[in-house]
C-alpha cells in the first residue's frame, strides 16, 4: 500500500457511521422536550464538529464528543442558574456516573459518546450567549454556534472536497499526540491554510504539516510533538524519493497507526 492509499483509507475509515449516536441525540432531544416547558427552553440543537461531519469515531479519538446547545428563555439570571437547570435535567434521566459539571457545560458521558450540554440565552443585540470560561472576567460571551460551518464547507468545495478528509486525518494524529491542539482550533488552522497546486490527499497532508505550527508560548511537549510530525513526514518523503515505498508506509504509520 502506498502512502497515498493509506491516507485515503484513514480518511475514509475515520468517518463517523455510528447510528447509535444519532439515536442518542434524538433521545436527548425528546427528553429535553418532555422535561422543559417551551416557555423555559426556546430552542436546542447540535453544533460543532458533529454538524460539520468532522467528528471522529471513538476508536480514532477517545475524547470525541457532541456539542449540544440548550437555549433558555432569558430571565436575567446568572449562568450558574441555567447550568443548574441542565444539571437537574440530566439527574432526572441519566445515572450519576454519566454526568459531571465542567464549566461552562454539563458533561454527559454515555458508553459510546460524550455530550457537552451548553446552556445559552438569546439576545437581539448580542445573539446567542453562553457562560464565559471560569478564567474570563465576563459573565456571558457571544457566540455564533454554526458560523464556522459555512467557511469549512466553502473551503472543502474549493479544494476537491479534500479538506474534511484532511481534517479527519490530522485530528487522528492530534488525538494520538495527546491533543496538541484543541479540536476546533485545529480545524480553524487547516481552513486558514493555503493548498495551491494540491490535487490529492497526500499533497494536502504534506502541505498542511508544513504549515502547522504551535505558538511560541506553547509548552515544550507540544513543540516536540509538532516537530516529530514534521520530521516523520520528511522521512516519508525521503523514502518515497528513493522508491522505498514499503518503508514510507511503515514510517507514516508511526504517527497514524493502523486500526
Amino acid at each position: 500500500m502506498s502512502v497515498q492509499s493509506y491516507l485515503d483509507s484513514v480518511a475514509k475509515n475515520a468517518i463517523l457511521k455510528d447510528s447509535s449516536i444519532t439515536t442518542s441525540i434524538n433521545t436527548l432531544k425528546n427528553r429535553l422536550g418532555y422535561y422543559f416547558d417551551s416557555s423555559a427552553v426556546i430552542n436546542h440543537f447540535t453544533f460543532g464538529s458533529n454538524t460539520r461531519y468532522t467528528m471522529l469515531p471513538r476508536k480514532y479519538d477517545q475524547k470525541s464528543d457532541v456539542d449540544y446547545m440548550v437555549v433558555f428563555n432569558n430571565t436575567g439570571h446568572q449562568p450558574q442558574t441555567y447550568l443548574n437547570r441542565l444539571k437537574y435535567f440530566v439527574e432526572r434521566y441519566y445515572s450519576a456516573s454519566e454526568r459531571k459539571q465542567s464549566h461552562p457545560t454539563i458533561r454527559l458521558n454515555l458508553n459510546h459518546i460524550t455530550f457537552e450540554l451548553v446552556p445559552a440565552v438569546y439576545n437581539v443585540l448580542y445573539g446567542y450567549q453562553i457562560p464565559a470560561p471560569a478564567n474570563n472576567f465576563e459573565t456571558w460571551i457571544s457566540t455564533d454556534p454554526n458560523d464556522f460551518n459555512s467557511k469549512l464547507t466553502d473551503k472543502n468545495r474549493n479544494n476537491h472536497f479534500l479538506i474534511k478528509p484532511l481534517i479527519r486525518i490530522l485530528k487522528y494524529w492530534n488525538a494520538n499526540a495527546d491533543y496538541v491542539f484543541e479540536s476546533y482550533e485545529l480545524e480553524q488552522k487547516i481552513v486558514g491554510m493555503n493548498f495551491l497546486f494540491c490535487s490529492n490527499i497526500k499533497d494536502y497532508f504534506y502541505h498542511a504539516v508544513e504549515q502547522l505550527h504551535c505558538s511560541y508560548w506553547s509548552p515544550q511537549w507540544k513543540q516536540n510533538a509538532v516537530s516529530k510530525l514534521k520530521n516523520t513526514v520528511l522521512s516519508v518523503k525521503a523514502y518515497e524519493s528513493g522508491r522505498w515505498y514499503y518503508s514510507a508506509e511503515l514510517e507514516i504509520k508511526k504517527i497514524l497507526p493502523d486500526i
Side-chain angles (χ1 to χ4, degrees):
M1 182 182 287
S2 67
V3 171
Q4 166 71 37
S5 58
Y6 182 68
L7 291 173
D8 274 331
S9 70
V10 171
K12 181 179 179 182
N13 293 333
I15 296 173
L16 185 66
K17 302 171 184 172
D18 189 348
S19 61
S20 65
I21 293 175
T22 302
T23 301
S24 294
I25 291 172
N26 290 332
T27 300
L28 176 65
K29 285 181 179 177
N30 291 335
R31 288 176 174 177
L32 283 166
Y34 299 148
Y35 187 81
F36 289 107
D37 187 274
S38 59
S39 63
V41 169
I42 58 177
N43 199 2
H44 52 93
F45 50 86
T46 55
F47 68 103
S49 61
N50 180 259
T51 60
R52 295 191 292 271
Y53 303 102
T54 54
M55 178 181 167
L56 302 187
R58 271 286 171 88
K59 66 179 181 179
Y60 284 92
D61 181 1
Q62 286 298 311
K63 293 186 178 180
S64 188
D65 60 19
V66 174
D67 297 310
Y68 199 95
M69 182 172 285
V70 181
V71 187
F72 288 91
N73 183 24
N74 191 352
T75 50
H77 291 93
Q78 294 296 307
Q80 188 60 48
T81 299
Y82 302 104
L83 281 164
N84 287 341
R85 291 175 182 174
L86 279 182
K87 179 184 173 186
Y88 300 147
F89 161 72
V90 297
E91 285 176 351
R92 171 75 175 273
Y93 288 105
Y94 299 93
S95 71
S97 61
E98 295 173 321
R99 59 188 191 246
K100 176 183 178 184
Q101 177 168 335
S102 178
H103 194 87
T105 70
I106 298 293
R107 183 171 296 163
L108 183 58
N109 291 309
L110 305 182
N111 288 333
H112 57 298
I113 195 62
T114 296
F115 283 103
E116 294 280 358
L117 302 181
V118 183
V121 293
Y122 184 79
N123 184 299
V124 174
L125 291 178
Y126 302 109
Y128 290 108
Q129 292 186 296
I130 62 175
N135 61 351
N136 193 308
F137 293 107
E138 302 290 334
T139 304
W140 295 97
I141 54 172
S142 295
T143 184
D144 188 341
N146 287 314
D147 175 58
F148 181 62
N149 293 19
S150 59
K151 294 177 183 175
L152 174 54
T153 298
D154 290 343
K155 187 81 174 185
N156 192 50
R157 185 189 303 116
N158 296 328
N159 285 273
H160 311 285
F161 296 95
L162 288 172
I163 296 299
K164 290 187 180 182
L166 173 65
I167 285 175
R168 288 193 288 270
I169 292 170
L170 280 171
K171 287 177 77 170
Y172 177 42
W173 161 78
N174 192 49
N176 273 303
D178 204 19
Y179 302 96
V180 176
F181 301 100
E182 293 290 336
S183 177
Y184 182 57
E185 175 193 12
L186 181 57
E187 293 196 29
Q188 287 182 307
K189 282 179 175 288
I190 293 169
V191 167
M193 291 177 179
N194 173 25
F195 296 103
L196 196 62
F197 305 125
C198 292
S199 61
N200 58 51
I201 193 62
K202 188 174 75 171
D203 294 339
Y204 276 85
F205 179 70
Y206 287 173
H207 270 68
V209 171
E210 287 174 3
Q211 297 173 74
L212 195 62
H213 297 283
C214 288
S215 80
Y216 179 80
W217 304 107
S218 296
Q220 190 59 48
W221 72 265
K222 292 188 177 183
Q223 307 277 2
N224 293 343
V226 173
S227 294
K228 179 182 177 183
L229 171 66
K230 291 177 179 290
N231 290 334
T232 301
V233 167
L234 288 175
S235 296
V236 172
K237 288 180 176 179
Y239 281 127
E240 288 183 314
S241 296
R243 299 190 176 187
W244 294 88
Y245 300 120
Y246 181 68
S247 297
E249 181 188 342
L250 292 179
E251 194 70 10
I252 200 72
K253 287 181 178 178
K254 290 180 180 177
I255 53 172
L256 299 169
D258 197 8
I259 295 180

